[in-house]
Amino acid sequence: MTLSPDIDIKATRLTKRVKLTEGSLTILNDLHLTIKRGESVAIVGASGSGKSTLLGILAGLDTASEGEVFLAGQPLHQLDEDARAGLRASHVGFVFQSFLLLPGLTALENITLPAELAGIRNAKDRGLELLAQVGLSERRDFYPTQLSGGEQQRVAIARAFITQPKILFADEPSANLDEKTGLLVEDLLFDLNQQQGTTLVLVTHKAELAERCQQQYLMHHGQLEQQLPSELQEQRHVG
Amino acid sequence: MWASIAWRLFWRELKRGELWVIAFALFLAVFSVVMLTGITESVRSALYQRSASFLAADLVLRSSRPFQPELMATADAVGLQQAQQMLFDSMLFSDSEMQLVTVKAVSSEFPLRGELVLRRSHQPGQGELASFSAGEIWLEPRLLSLLAVSPGDRLELGMASLQVAGVIEAEPDAPLNVFGGNPRVLMHLDDVAATEVVQPGSRIGYRYLFAGSTPQLAELRQQLDPQLSVHEQWQELDPETAIGAAIQRAESFLLLAGLLGIVLAASASAVAANRYRQRHAEAVAVIKALGATTTTARKIYCSHLLLVSVFSSVLAIIAGIVLVVFIQQGIQLWMDDYQPAFSSRPLWMGLLTAAICAGLFAARPVWQLAAVPAIAVLRQLPAWRFDVWHLATGALAVWLLMWLFSKEFMLSLILFAACVTFALVLMGLAALLVKVAKPMAAGQSSALKLALANLRRRLWQNSFQLLTFSMALFLTLLLYFLRVELLDQWQAQIPAGAPNQFLVNISAAERPGIEAFAAQHQLELDTFYPIVRGRLTATNEQQLRQRASKEEDTERVGVGRELNLTWTSELPANNSVLHGRWFSEQTLGEVSVESELAERLGILLGDQLEFSIGGRTVSATVSSIRLVDWNTLQPNFYMILSADLLADFPASYLSAFYLDAERAQVLNQLNREFPTVIVLNVDAIIQQVQDIIAQVTVALSSILLLVFAAAVLVLVAQVQATMEQREQELAILRTLGARYAFLRNAMLLEFAALGALAGILATVLAEAVLGVLQFRLFELPFQLHWNLWWIGPGFGVVVVTLLGWWQLRQLLAIQSSVLMRRAIYS
């Protein structure tokens, strides 16, 4: 299958089933999705609808039961775990809901960790630059436990951009933060995303956050339904 | 790339305390092994050096052939110190008396070990200390009265005339058997030729005494063994003596302590490894999500294990060796001539333990850690499944360690089987507790209910914790009770007031006089045992050889010397009938045989034994086999015959009494009134045995303390392993409004219940294992330890509650807001 160069992510006939003691549960069911380079896409949906499962498969963290996934031109469904790890190291950045910084590393070291894993030399300068961009230059040698939740997430955002990834996956990036801090973090995420021209795949249950993306999809019964901004506003009012 | 990350993470995690638990567990494992191996070797070496003083050398070669210069040349070539000794019986003549004596002629170098104390005086404790030289003869004190001589007089031995120099006060290699043998004299080896008593056919015992380092002695044995004939044999410490038995038992105990230390160490490293795996699963998922392959993650975390193993092992070996050196210096305080021996065994045993603990207990969890999927960053990991293979390899490793360390296949198998049984029982009880605690814990409205609920949840999730709590308590209880038991046994062998003066060679006519003398001086006389000397010559009409030889294995081996035969219708104290029945008043023609001799000679109930007594042959049927406690230093006999067989032979009598050291003058009076009665003072021998018991007690107590400390450390590691979970639960309960006192009480009750359960389980197992060890290792009958049944559970409650409180009190003091923050961001 030939993929257009302007497409960063393409998923076709994606199905994910998991085995339970009671039987089999289908989380994703014949799902299709195409995301163009530089596009920002929000995936919304109720808790347990399969948003995070989809994000995991698109990012190569997990595999689908059926279907094909292309990421940065590479067929994820044909790659083994190590090859997928290599692809993530060079093309993908992550921001997680619970920050997931390594407690044994300082803020700066957490930021430069993906670069070191990708074998990029002299990542420290780039790390310091990003640290300044997220406003934490004075916290470079602080350990995660010495930082507030907002500060930890800002470090996580800087970490996501250190390898200048093509694609950024964010899973509920402000869900663990208070509203004010959450907004600051969201602004930072979108600012950096725009500066770097990164493709953004954002999973959230917050309609306001989803509205800031160019495309919005609703996860429902294992499939994606494209949403219009008006529909999201409606959801927000209802919510 | 990975190395740089691994190195930084290693130091940071070490600094943050993340690796301390596993580092500490490995340290504990290696330190325990180095320390226990080192101490065991030091104490064993001290005991053997002390035992060497009873041989007057490190090694003795006995021979019935004259000294062979080439043997001595071989010893010289190896670099050993050596001395020679001749032993023979001869008549000694004074102007008015004569006496059959055992002559010990020694070379100038004697003794190589131990102390020879000679006094230029007529009795021990008085007069100038001296050393022996040619032309002199030194006497056992009783010989002065028997021969009616004083220092300065001359005695004739064969063709030589020797001057009485004084008395022998202490002789390192004096025989411990006080009931046989002639009075002893000591002279210089150079004077033997002049006596002309050594003639072809004379029964002379030649002894080569050697002293040197263990490798030198081993080399000598290796070189000499092929050259030895049937006339030569190496002399070992006699295990039948009280001292030999004390050393053997001490060794068994120290060995056991070593085994138990290994079990504790293995438990600690397994706990630490599992905790490490649980705590680092998320970090591995993050690293993998950020682009690390499984191999990279494995390299990072396995290198941590390698670094922490090396770091801990080096520190543990240094600490262990420092402690061993310290203990060796302590040994020197009570044993002046102790020579510390530094062997490489503790070192390589420590390294081997580190490799096994890290490789078989910790490596698998760390290896599996790298297999955590990257998707774990997005969804909760499934609970860790019970790893049967980890358990199986760990168990196999424990047993292999036990076997390697003890070199005792059966003992290691028994201990291991006990541990496995204990684990299975524990698992079953944990399941039972779940059922019992569940209805009780419904609706957590009181501290007790909350404690039970916590206990139930944690027991089910991590019953390994209960297992190690119980194991640590079990090992401590086992060691404590074994120590108490051993000391009791040893003390019981020589109880206060046990006879220390033996009267030998009492004629029938003298018995009433002796009884009157005892009554007059308030001495409690033991039974009068009649003694007739005789030789066992045949069993079931088959002649016995008198000595063992290499060539004639098919021929039955005899006792090799004359026996003291007695007759009595009452079973002596410290004797019990193993097989058959004891004599009745009407018994005719029967004999009772001591069990070990019976086993050695293959004597069974109903066998016909023939004795040669005073030129006559006496036949007797074996009607009982007796178990005799030889360690009591009380009159004991290999053969007791029915009265009808011996009553017609002229007999002398033996009796004993206890005399305070302050009343020693009574002995002089006894000697004056009964000059032909020989008084043997066994105080010196009893003192030697008690001395060894005291030294071994110190060693046992220190090892018990160390094992207890190790057990406490395992408990601490276990509580640490549940810290994160407890912190999260505490955060929730605090948020829901639980008060400090409520949470404190719940925590204390939880640990008290856990301690009680662990204590009860440990008690049951300790009682069972004590029973097995009593039977298998110490050859003692089974006895229930009543004290154990309240000390065990009580000890469990107190120790576990205090340790739990000590570790978790700081957690309770943390403010709710801090707890919540940690719970959310962790």
Side-chain angles (χ1 to χ4, degrees):
Chain A
M1 183 177 175
T2 316
L3 207 62
S4 164
D6 65 336
I7 292 175
D8 264 350
I9 298 172
K10 184 170 179 67
T12 50
R13 294 183 290 102
L14 209 58
T15 300
K16 178 71 176 177
R17 282 185 288 271
V18 290
K19 283 181 184 170
L20 302 172
T21 46
E22 300 84 10
S24 173
L25 174 70
T26 302
I27 301 172
L28 305 178
N29 185 17
D30 198 27
L31 183 146
H32 294 260
L33 176 68
T34 302
I35 300 172
K36 289 183 183 165
R37 179 160 302 166
E39 203 171 30
S40 58
V41 173
I43 299 169
V44 295
S47 293
S49 60
K51 303 188 295 288
S52 295
T53 303
L54 175 62
L55 187 137
I57 293 170
L58 295 179
L61 298 173
D62 200 1
T63 52
S65 307
E66 287 171 28
E68 294 176 342
V69 183
F70 289 85
L71 179 77
Q74 298 293 314
L76 280 181
H77 52 281
Q78 291 175 357
L79 302 181
D80 64 14
E81 197 189 327
D82 282 353
R84 294 203 306 273
L87 190 63
R88 285 198 299 274
S90 52
H91 291 100
V92 175
F94 285 104
V95 177
F96 304 109
Q97 178 178 345
S98 50
F99 328 138
L100 296 182
L101 301 179
L102 293 199
L105 300 180
T106 62
L108 180 61
E109 286 168 340
N110 262 293
I111 291 169
T112 57
L113 179 64
E116 287 183 75
L117 290 170
I120 298 169
R121 294 181 184 277
N122 303 321
K124 191 176 173 185
D125 293 340
R126 167 89 179 134
L128 285 169
E129 194 184 309
L130 280 165
L131 203 57
Q133 281 185 276
V134 297
L136 291 172
S137 291
E138 290 173 2
R139 301 274 200 271
R140 55 174 277 178
D141 295 325
F142 280 42
Y143 288 97
T145 49
Q146 296 169 311
L147 300 171
S148 69
E151 288 171 333
Q152 286 190 53
Q153 193 60 307
R154 280 147 70 190
V155 171
I157 289 169
R159 177 178 69 183
F161 285 100
I162 186 75
T163 54
Q164 296 179 306
K166 285 184 177 174
I167 306 146
L168 181 73
F169 291 95
D171 179 32
E172 308 275 15
S174 54
N176 273 1
L177 302 172
D178 62 65
E179 194 177 344
K180 189 180 165 192
T181 313
L183 278 171
L184 284 172
V185 164
E186 287 164 10
D187 288 346
L188 187 63
L189 180 67
F190 278 96
D191 288 349
L192 277 169
N193 188 48
Q194 272 186 345
Q195 281 174 30
Q196 311 265 335
T198 317
T199 305
L200 174 67
V201 181
L202 176 74
V203 163
T204 182
H205 63 279
K206 288 167 76 174
E208 303 93 321
L209 183 57
E211 278 174 18
R212 297 178 68 169
C213 294
Q214 293 160 338
Q215 302 282 338
Q216 294 85 25
Y217 291 95
L218 175 69
M219 192 81 188
H220 189 59
H221 293 310
Q223 292 192 326
L224 289 175
E225 294 170 10
Q226 192 157 19
Q227 298 279 293
L228 297 171
S230 56
E231 290 172 314
L232 280 170
Q233 279 181 5
E234 202 174 295
Q235 278 181 16
R236 181 167 53 175
H237 291 140
V238 173
Chain B
M1 171 268 294
W2 66 267
S4 155
I5 298 170
W7 184 248
R8 260 180 292 145
L9 273 175
F10 172 72
W11 283 109
R12 298 287 165 67
E13 296 208 345
L14 207 60
K15 203 172 152 190
R16 291 174 59 240
E18 285 294 310
L19 284 166
W20 279 114
V21 178
I22 197 160
F24 192 64
L26 286 171
F27 175 89
L28 188 69
V30 179
F31 178 72
S32 300
V33 170
V34 173
M35 175 190 72
L36 289 172
T37 317
I39 290 175
T40 305
E41 292 215 330
S42 299
V43 174
R44 189 184 298 159
S45 151
L47 292 174
Y48 272 107
Q49 283 183 31
R50 177 52 66 100
S51 73
S53 74
F54 296 124
L55 292 174
D58 291 331
L59 188 62
V60 174
L61 180 67
R62 299 167 70 164
S63 175
S64 57
R65 290 194 298 168
F67 293 118
Q68 309 290 306
E70 61 271 21
L71 286 185
M72 293 188 259
T74 307
D76 272 338
V78 172
L80 289 165
Q81 288 177 270
Q82 46 177 324
Q84 290 80 43
Q85 190 183 96
M86 284 171 73
L87 278 169
F88 54 91
D89 291 347
S90 184
M91 292 302 290
L92 194 60
F93 297 89
S94 67
D95 289 344
S96 58
E97 305 286 342
M98 61 178 181
Q99 175 69 44
L100 180 66
V101 295
T102 296
V103 179
K104 181 159 85 175
V106 293
S107 62
S108 304
E109 298 82 10
F110 178 86
L112 300 177
R113 295 279 183 258
E115 199 179 10
L116 174 68
V117 184
L118 304 171
R119 296 260 188 193
R120 292 196 186 281
S121 152
H122 62 282
Q123 66 182 58
Q126 292 180 2
E128 148 199 15
L129 289 167
S131 56
F132 67 95
S133 55
E136 292 177 341
I137 188 163
W138 298 83
L139 311 182
E140 198 176 315
R142 60 185 165 131
L143 269 176
L144 292 171
S145 58
L146 288 172
L147 290 166
V149 291
S150 297
D153 292 347
R154 296 197 78 81
L155 290 171
E156 286 183 11
L157 179 69
M159 301 302 288
S161 171
L162 299 163
Q163 187 178 42
V164 176
V167 293
I168 306 166
E169 182 174 307
E171 192 184 3
D173 56 346
L176 289 168
N177 179 4
V178 297
F179 308 114
N182 305 310
R184 294 160 67 83
V185 301
L186 180 97
M187 61 184 279
H188 200 284
L189 193 64
D190 292 349
D191 293 331
V192 174
T195 66
E196 297 182 23
V197 295
V198 181
Q199 300 294 331
S202 301
R203 287 192 62 185
I204 314 280
Y206 296 88
R207 292 183 184 179
Y208 303 82
L209 281 67
F210 304 107
S213 66
T214 310
Q216 283 176 318
L217 295 167
E219 192 185 336
L220 180 77
R221 285 192 77 146
Q222 197 182 4
Q223 289 195 24
L224 289 189
D225 276 343
Q227 302 174 32
L228 298 185
S229 68
V230 293
H231 304 285
E232 278 95 24
Q233 65 180 96
W234 296 106
Q235 184 176 347
E236 309 284 352
L237 188 68
D238 184 358
E240 281 184 2
T241 65
I243 292 168
I247 291 174
Q248 264 188 359
R249 287 185 181 183
E251 268 198 59
S252 300
F253 187 89
L254 298 175
L255 188 69
L256 193 66
L259 286 178
L260 302 183
I262 286 184
V263 172
L264 276 181
S267 303
S269 63
V271 173
N274 277 304
R275 183 180 192 233
Y276 186 81
R277 179 176 65 178
Q278 285 164 9
R279 283 179 64 85
H280 290 80
E282 189 180 84
V284 168
V286 171
I287 288 176
K288 289 176 83 171
L290 296 179
T293 60
T294 301
T295 310
T296 304
R298 194 157 278 157
K299 282 178 184 170
I300 291 172
Y301 286 95
C302 285
S303 70
H304 283 187
L305 182 64
L306 185 70
L307 286 168
V308 88
S309 302
V310 171
F311 172 79
S312 306
S313 303
V314 169
L315 277 182
I317 286 170
I318 292 171
I321 288 174
V322 166
L323 190 74
V324 169
V325 169
F326 179 72
I327 283 171
Q328 285 182 335
Q329 284 179 344
I331 293 173
Q332 272 175 323
L333 288 179
W334 55 256
M335 204 173 134
D336 293 338
D337 56 347
Y338 172 67
Q339 294 173 322
F342 292 95
S343 101
S344 60
R345 190 164 176 261
L347 193 72
W348 67 257
M349 283 290 284
L351 289 172
L352 189 66
T353 306
I356 290 175
C357 286
L360 289 171
F361 291 101
R364 187 169 164 84
V366 177
W367 189 264
Q368 287 177 321
L369 175 64
V372 170
I375 190 65
V377 292
L378 293 178
R379 63 168 184 248
Q380 204 175 5
L381 283 172
W384 286 102
R385 267 186 275 174
F386 186 66
D387 188 350
V388 179
W389 282 109
H390 187 209
L391 188 73
T393 53
L396 181 68
V398 167
W399 175 67
L400 279 175
L401 277 170
M402 284 178 167
W403 188 19
L404 278 174
F405 197 64
S406 70
K407 296 178 207 152
E408 292 242 7
F409 182 80
M410 278 312 290
L411 179 66
S412 61
L413 212 58
I414 289 169
L415 269 180
F416 180 73
C419 291
V420 171
T421 310
F422 183 46
L424 291 174
V425 168
L426 194 80
M427 295 293 178
L429 281 169
L432 190 69
L433 196 78
V434 170
K435 284 191 175 175
V436 173
K438 199 170 182 177
M440 288 174 75
Q444 297 169 1
S445 59
S446 73
L448 178 62
K449 284 181 178 173
L450 178 60
L452 283 172
N454 282 340
L455 193 59
R456 173 178 65 86
R457 188 154 29 86
R458 268 186 265 279
L459 268 176
W460 197 237
Q461 289 169 349
N462 191 8
S463 56
F464 188 64
Q465 181 173 325
L466 183 63
L467 181 75
T468 46
F469 273 34
S470 308
M471 185 71 83
L473 290 173
F474 155 66
L475 296 181
T476 309
L477 288 171
L478 183 66
L479 276 185
Y480 175 74
F481 275 86
L482 270 180
R483 176 183 165 278
V484 168
E485 191 143 289
L486 281 173
L487 293 182
D488 283 352
Q489 290 284 336
W490 287 337
Q491 296 295 349
Q493 283 164 12
I494 308 169
N500 57 354
Q501 310 294 330
F502 288 81
L503 304 177
V504 188
N505 203 31
I506 304 167
S507 67
E510 285 170 322
R511 271 186 63 173
I514 294 282
E515 281 170 334
F517 182 88
Q520 185 192 343
H521 294 90
Q522 285 111 35
L523 302 173
E524 202 174 320
L525 272 183
D526 198 0
T527 314
F528 279 93
Y529 292 94
I531 292 178
V532 172
R533 302 276 289 175
R535 193 177 286 273
L536 176 67
T537 53
T539 63
N540 296 327
E541 298 181 353
Q542 188 183 358
Q543 290 297 311
L544 294 169
R545 275 184 301 120
Q546 296 308 312
R547 297 202 57 177
S549 75
K550 284 181 181 172
E551 288 83 4
E552 301 164 291
D553 285 335
T554 51
E555 204 176 329
R556 302 190 76 177
V557 178
V559 180
R561 63 176 170 83
E562 280 200 324
L563 292 167
N564 289 320
L565 307 175
T566 191
W567 68 93
T568 175
S569 57
E570 279 181 30
L571 184 66
N574 308 314
N575 282 223
S576 56
V577 174
L578 274 183
H579 307 291
R581 51 167 181 75
W582 185 242
F583 306 137
S584 68
E585 294 289 335
Q586 293 77 37
T587 298
L588 295 173
E590 291 184 2
V591 59
S592 172
V593 187
E594 189 267 342
S595 57
E596 286 183 19
L597 182 70
E599 192 180 339
R600 185 150 63 90
L601 300 183
I603 296 172
L604 302 170
L605 278 181
D607 280 0
Q608 200 71 23
L609 305 188
E610 279 182 20
F611 297 90
S612 171
I613 305 169
R616 283 164 55 192
T617 300
V618 170
S619 290
T621 307
V622 178
S623 60
S624 65
I625 306 286
R626 273 172 304 121
L627 185 66
V628 175
D629 187 355
W630 291 99
N631 298 319
T632 56
L633 288 178
Q634 301 304 301
N636 277 314
F637 299 89
Y638 283 115
M639 302 278 183
I640 301 177
L641 284 76
S642 56
D644 63 298
L645 294 174
L646 296 181
D648 292 342
F649 288 95
S652 66
Y653 290 83
L654 180 151
S655 189
F657 60 86
Y658 173 75
L659 186 70
D660 287 332
E662 298 82 52
R663 298 175 64 201
Q665 75 286 355
V666 172
L667 292 179
N668 294 335
Q669 200 178 338
L670 184 74
N671 270 327
R672 279 196 300 275
E673 289 186 29
F674 304 94
T676 56
V677 172
I678 298 167
V679 182
L680 294 173
N681 184 343
V682 295
D683 256 347
I685 296 171
I686 290 178
Q687 190 52 50
Q688 279 179 333
V689 175
Q690 285 182 334
D691 195 22
I692 282 195
I693 289 172
Q695 292 152 13
V696 171
T697 304
V698 172
L700 297 184
S701 304
S702 52
I703 286 182
L704 172 66
L705 269 179
L706 292 168
V707 170
F708 176 67
V712 165
L713 294 174
V714 174
L715 297 185
V716 169
Q718 271 292 7
V719 177
Q720 287 282 327
T722 63
M723 213 61 138
E724 290 79 22
Q725 195 189 355
R726 287 178 185 281
E727 194 175 302
Q728 285 184 349
E729 288 166 4
L730 209 58
I732 295 165
L733 289 166
R734 277 288 187 76
T735 311
L736 294 175
R739 284 176 304 165
Y740 174 84
F742 173 81
L743 294 171
R744 181 200 59 204
N745 293 344
M747 201 175 272
L748 288 176
L749 284 168
E750 181 189 339
F751 278 107
L754 195 60
L757 186 67
I760 291 166
L761 292 170
T763 300
V764 172
L765 190 72
E767 186 69 275
V769 174
L770 275 172
V772 172
L773 291 176
Q774 274 178 326
F775 183 71
R776 289 268 326 161
L777 199 62
F778 305 116
E779 295 168 3
L780 300 169
F782 176 75
Q783 262 183 317
L784 205 60
H785 303 81
W786 296 109
N787 281 345
L788 179 63
W789 290 88
W790 66 267
I791 291 177
F795 182 64
V797 169
V798 172
V799 170
V800 176
T801 308
L802 284 178
L803 280 172
W805 174 245
W806 172 56
Q807 290 191 81
L808 298 178
R809 71 189 196 287
Q810 284 176 328
L811 206 60
L812 281 174
I814 299 172
Q815 288 184 345
S816 307
S817 55
V818 179
L819 277 174
M820 279 308 294
R821 194 169 161 225
R822 283 194 197 171
I824 290 168
Y825 297 139
S826 66

